[in-house]
Amino acid sequence: MASNSISISSANNRVIHQSITNKKSKSLLNSNRPNSIKIIQKPITPAATALQCPPAPQSTSYGPVTYIDAPARPGRPKQARNINEGNKPAIRPDWNLVQRMAATALDTIEDGFISNVLEKSQPLPKTTDPAVQIAGNFAPVTEQPPKHNLPVTGRIPPFINGVYVRNGANPHMEPSAGHHLFDGDGMVHAVSIQNGKASYACRFTETARLRQERAIGRTVFPKAIGELHGHSGIARLFLFGARSLCGLVDPSEGTGVANAGLIYFNNRLLAMSEDDLPYHVRVTPTGDLETVCRHDFDGQLGASMIAHPKVDPVSKEMFSLSYDVIKKPYLKYFRISPDGKKSADMEIPLKEPTMIHDFAITENNIIVPDQQVVFRLPEMIRGKSPLVLDKNKMSRFGILPKYASDATEIKWVDVPDCFCFHFWNAWEEPETDEVVVIGSCMTPADSIFNESEQSLKSVLTEIRLNLRTGKSTQRPVLSPTEQINLEVGMVNKNKLGRKSRYAYLAIAEPWPKVSGFAKVDLLTGNVQKFNYGESKFGGEPYFVSRDPNSEREDDGYILSYIHDEKESQSYLLIINAADMRLEATVKLPSRVPYGFHGTFVESKELETQA
């Protein structure tokens, strides 16, 4: 999963800018959740500048913070309230008198008109109700410095040396209006493993958005899914612009949350969401995490990139897409060499902006999905969400050579009634002139974003694109009697873009929780399940290969965070992928919320990280 949203920075360039107010805020985390907010103890200018990439960044220091609870307004979520001033470092923006007056006036407009007039009369659907979206173990936690020598039951395989990092949404401030799970600030959870011993840490990714909201003490950046719909969404966009024009914040340094994907590329761990550039996060020798900068590949990347770029296991190049919901080109493709040199952007013509969270690669091609979930901003004028399921649109997949000179080389194949939020692999079968795509077909296609009475289904599907006939076929991989919802997961990354036999996918039941994971034989449809147990739920299973050159594709281990809701205890599980037996359990020192995507970085890679 990931943030799939209107790009606020793009909208800002066309319509408005952003701002931050002078109202204090309450942390989401109440006394029943051991939480605190990280505070950078250094001056912050009225408009926060970009994170720079110094040669040797220093670790950030943090101060303790306590919180004061406040009652909710009837029928609405609680507005962020006061942080205890006695523990708060002096980091308030240095606004002049006019700016302070403007901030007060704009706060009054937000609280008096937008919140209590436009939004109060509109009941929140479950997809944007904070009481639903960030309840239970979806609720945020505070940062944790490294805790070492964690209790281990069983034996950690000796070849596993490195750090398992997983991204997730962790709102720093309590929502003042609608909130979708994907709207939260990015937090990375890391378990470092060395010679059978484990440590744990978690930190916010220090996005420009987070730094500015922390400095002001109030949520001010519009939440792309939770807030930007209907007339109140339009009002919040104009409020955002007014604050920016008053110089209260700086939107030019990005508005993204960096809460979805993680990838290790070009000696850098990159945290991503498709509403911004990636952020470079460094793993320290002690197992801590520190944000280095908003990473633009030395000025080569000027627009956001989706949260699921692909690294070819042979060429080591990274391939990615970038979409824009405001202006053409709506979709661009580019690649980056292993040493960080970016190709020119290639425009892929689309009739309208389309939500593209993921795509696939083969040995020679990229597979571009143009599906039924589209962005139509005028729907906001009609009081609706701009994220629309167009049932009359024919989904299609484009097959584009990786090194095509332009988009005229793309071949489009219609794929009726298909919406894949994620793709697990793709490969070419020259003997039949087909491209095979493995993905989870989701119905209703917009159910993650818009409330629906229909139950969500996510069916693991083999999609064949015939380049000779221009036709497609679809086949559920599992038999009807074995059918289960399968979502986030992966194949052996050494097989990415090549024919693979196994996929390791989360059992997304009861939705949106994950009760276990499945090892699926893509050839036979055979399923082996690992269930987490009663009251235990987890997230994405991550496959770590024992040896990239092993003849056995399943020669490795699955890593997965789980949480025991009955005992309120989180763990990291290590499962043998070959026989699906539990090898080790690491007891974690604090709660790990259910999250999104992760990666494993080997110790030898960490030694050369930038």
Side-chain angles (χ1 to χ4, degrees), residues 153-367:
T153 303
R155 175 176 175 267
I156 296 177
F159 83 90
I160 299 181
N161 288 293
V163 58
Y164 172 51
V165 283
R166 197 220 64 196
N167 212 343
N170 197 83
H172 183 268
M173 301 284 185
E174 181 170 350
S176 59
H179 180 93
H180 187 279
L181 176 64
F182 295 175
D183 288 328
D185 299 293
M187 174 175 276
V188 178
H189 300 261
V191 171
S192 298
I193 299 173
Q194 195 68 37
N195 300 323
K197 296 184 177 181
S199 65
Y200 169 81
C202 65
R203 296 291 190 189
F204 282 105
T205 298
E206 296 287 327
T207 63
R209 173 184 184 131
L210 174 62
R211 293 172 68 231
Q212 294 182 69
E213 289 194 332
R214 178 192 288 128
I216 302 305
R218 180 184 177 118
T219 58
V220 293
F221 284 67
K223 293 180 170 62
I225 305 176
E227 294 179 348
L228 294 187
H229 46 80
H231 301 144
S232 62
I234 296 173
R236 285 192 175 277
L237 284 174
F238 277 103
L239 178 70
F240 188 59
R243 286 170 168 159
S244 178
L245 290 173
C246 292
L248 304 178
V249 293
D250 180 3
S252 67
E253 303 303 339
T255 62
V257 288
N259 66 13
L262 284 171
I263 195 167
Y264 192 79
F265 177 75
N266 188 219
N267 298 323
R268 292 170 175 85
L269 178 63
L270 301 177
M272 296 164 293
S273 57
E274 55 229 42
D275 51 4
D276 206 342
L277 275 62
Y279 276 80
H280 175 193
V281 177
R282 179 183 286 118
V283 182
T284 73
T286 64
D288 208 346
L289 301 158
E290 56 186 18
T291 303
V292 180
C293 64
R294 184 170 177 254
H295 188 59
D296 62 3
F297 292 90
D298 295 325
Q300 300 175 91
L301 183 62
S304 63
M305 60 188 289
I306 66 171
H308 291 287
K310 309 297 181 186
V311 175
D312 188 288
V314 177
S315 72
K316 308 300 182 184
E317 295 169 286
M318 184 167 74
F319 301 86
S320 190
L321 300 174
S322 173
Y323 69 80
D324 194 306
V325 304
I326 303 294
K327 62 184 184 302
K328 291 184 176 181
Y330 296 130
L331 183 64
K332 296 180 290 187
Y333 158 66
F334 60 89
R335 64 184 186 276
I336 301 177
S337 67
D339 59 356
K341 293 183 173 58
K342 180 181 171 295
S343 71
D345 290 334
M346 179 189 299
E347 177 183 352
I348 299 176
L350 297 178
K351 292 182 180 179
E352 61 183 334
T354 301
M355 196 278 287
I356 301 177
H357 176 65
D358 197 4
F359 75 117
I361 64 170
T362 67
E363 183 176 356
N364 299 297
N365 301 288
I366 70 163
I367 313 302

Side-chain angles (χ1 to χ4, degrees), residues 521-592:
D521 188 321
L522 300 175
L523 179 62
T524 67
N526 181 58
V527 181
Q528 293 177 269
K529 300 176 185 176
F530 185 95
N531 293 312
Y532 296 138
E534 183 181 357
S535 78
K536 298 180 178 70
F537 302 94
E540 176 188 65
Y542 190 88
F543 178 85
V544 178
S545 175
R546 186 184 64 82
D547 181 356
N549 300 313
S550 176
E551 293 182 359
R552 288 187 18 247
E553 185 181 322
D554 61 354
D555 186 8
Y557 293 82
I558 298 295
L559 306 183
S560 180
Y561 288 112
I562 72 161
H563 182 71
D564 186 330
E565 295 188 347
K566 184 177 180 180
E567 301 295 332
S568 190
Q569 175 64 54
S570 295
Y571 303 89
L572 175 71
L573 302 186
I574 302 176
I575 299 107
N576 190 312
D579 59 19
M580 297 289 279
R581 293 184 180 180
L582 180 64
E583 295 279 341
T585 300
V586 180
K587 186 177 182 180
L588 302 176
S590 59
R591 182 170 64 86
V592 178

